[in-house]
Amino acid sequence: MQMTQALARAVQTRRHHTATIFEGRQRTWAEVGERVPRAAAALRALGLQPGDRLGILAMNSDNYIEIFFAAAWANLVLVPLNTRWAVPENIYTLGDAQCQALIVDDAFVPQVPQLLAGHSMAHVIHAGEGATPEGMRGYEALIAATPPMADECGKDDELCGIYYTGGTTGHPKGVMLSHKNFISASVNWIATLHFGEDTVYMHSAGLFHLAGCSPAIALTLAGGTHVCLPKFDAVLAFEAIQAHRVNYCLFVPTMVNMMINHPAFARYDLSSVRYCEYGASPMPVPVLAAAMEKLPTWEFIQGYGMTESAALTVSLPWRYHFDQP
């Protein structure tokens, strides 16, 4: 098993279908399949070697999803940094994981001098929408200038990514996840949680987190469509669901509560959604009852998991929500 199998299958079976949607930009699976080997080759051309750690500190985007697979294609270990942490926490993570390079987007360019003062690296890559800052390499320019490389992805129990998770005391702990972890979790997701080639999934959970990353890999294996929100915002979510006919979402209970009680809720057509997974914290019964009433086309699925298990561990399907009062 290897991470890039998910991308290869999507390119083979869904070549001309929409792969990613981000702020009005759409790419097909053929386009993503062409860009990823170039991005991987560019990372290797910078001097990164198999097994090197590549940090990424960015909001959700189509580029972030590509970078999951570009890092694997180049046999690098991806280290997603938490967008909600303070600079010292991410400095710690960069040092603990021994990252040799860092990718940032526009939101985190201002933090780069502090991050580099805490942990020096040979290269910083800018994967934002604005102009590339001085001293950084532009993600798009690297892709445009670099011929594609052959897939050199690791496999099975080899290390694929390090995802940091907080415990009750001390510093966050880096969880080492393999290619087999990710692909096995993806197969489980497809088998039990209704992912398919017609799934149009909206990413509202951060891609640095397994609640964002794990469905991204599973959806790629299924050949569905990624609709990326930079971060959760109720109105952005309403607009994306209506505009792109999103049919699958994942929210924490607080997000569900914010949406159903938002003053703009009634202005949008949210009926395209078929499935909504929720988790990460307890769901208040009144919130779920109100969501069921206001969103009658939605089937809710409760999920429980942890970083150490490559995300989802168990789920409560829609039909079992009604066994007891």
Side-chain angles (χ1 to χ4, degrees):
M1 294 181 176
Q2 53 189 162
M3 175 91 113
T4 55
Q5 284 178 289
L7 177 62
R9 183 185 185 280
V11 173
Q12 283 181 334
T13 63
R14 302 285 287 170
R15 182 172 186 81
H16 301 297
H17 294 268
T18 302
T20 58
I21 300 172
F22 176 68
E23 295 187 341
R25 179 171 63 215
Q26 297 192 22
R27 293 172 181 154
T28 65
W29 281 115
E31 291 173 309
V32 174
E34 194 272 336
R35 288 167 57 85
V36 163
R38 291 177 176 274
L43 293 168
R44 292 286 289 272
L46 293 176
L48 296 176
Q49 298 299 311
D52 282 353
R53 274 64 163 164
L54 172 65
I56 177 169
L57 180 57
M59 308 304 287
N60 292 357
S61 71
D62 49 359
N63 290 336
Y64 206 131
I65 290 170
E66 288 181 357
I67 290 164
F68 280 137
F69 295 99
W73 198 280
N75 202 4
L76 306 177
V77 177
L78 194 65
V79 183
L81 304 184
N82 193 321
T83 59
R84 304 188 189 105
W85 281 350
V87 171
E89 293 172 294
N90 278 321
I91 289 173
Y92 168 80
T93 301
L94 290 168
D96 186 65
Q98 301 181 353
C99 292
Q100 283 86 9
L102 175 65
I103 298 176
V104 297
D105 67 358
D106 297 323
F108 296 98
V109 164
Q111 294 186 14
V112 168
Q114 295 170 274
L115 292 170
L116 294 185
H119 180 77
S120 61
M121 281 169 290
H123 300 287
V124 178
I125 299 164
H126 174 251
E129 303 302 306
T132 301
E134 185 176 354
M136 300 185 194
R137 309 296 295 269
Y139 178 71
E140 292 298 331
L142 288 171
I143 290 176
T146 312
M149 64 175 282
D151 187 357
E152 296 186 11
C153 186
K155 63 181 180 179
D156 296 334
D157 291 325
E158 293 178 14
L159 185 59
C160 184
I162 304 176
Y163 288 74
Y164 279 76
T165 183
T168 55
T169 60
H171 290 293
K173 314 301 190 294
V175 176
M176 304 170 73
L177 296 175
S178 69
H179 292 270
K180 187 183 290 185
N181 288 148
F182 282 120
I183 297 301
S184 297
S186 296
V187 171
N188 288 339
W189 198 297
I190 292 168
T192 62
L193 291 174
H194 313 293
F195 267 15
E197 63 181 21
D198 296 326
T199 300
V200 181
Y201 180 90
M202 184 175 70
H203 291 280
S204 53
L207 289 169
F208 68 85
H209 193 281
L210 263 290
C213 165
S214 187
I217 297 166
L219 185 68
T220 300
L221 182 60
T225 298
H226 301 265
V227 178
C228 299
L229 300 185
K231 61 180 180 179
F232 175 76
D233 174 88
V235 172
L236 287 180
F238 295 155
E239 291 174 346
I241 292 170
Q242 180 173 276
H244 304 300
R245 305 301 294 167
V246 169
N247 57 28
Y248 207 126
C249 302
L250 184 152
F251 298 118
V252 302
T254 301
M255 295 176 182
V256 175
N257 192 39
M258 291 172 64
M259 291 173 66
I260 63 176
N261 290 296
H262 197 282
F265 175 83
R267 301 177 199 165
Y268 294 90
D269 178 6
L270 309 179
S271 63
S272 61
V273 175
R274 175 74 188 279
Y275 301 109
C276 176
E277 186 179 352
Y278 65 90
S281 64
M283 170 65 86
V285 172
V287 172
L288 184 58
M292 289 178 176
E293 180 181 354
K294 293 185 175 184
L295 297 164
T297 66
W298 295 31
E299 293 188 11
F300 291 90
I301 303 167
Q302 185 180 31
Y304 173 82
M306 61 187 80
T307 306
E308 291 84 350
S309 64
L312 190 72
T313 306
V314 294
S315 64
L316 183 73
W318 172 246
R319 63 186 179 276
Y320 294 124
H321 282 64
F322 305 99
D323 280 358
Q324 298 184 30

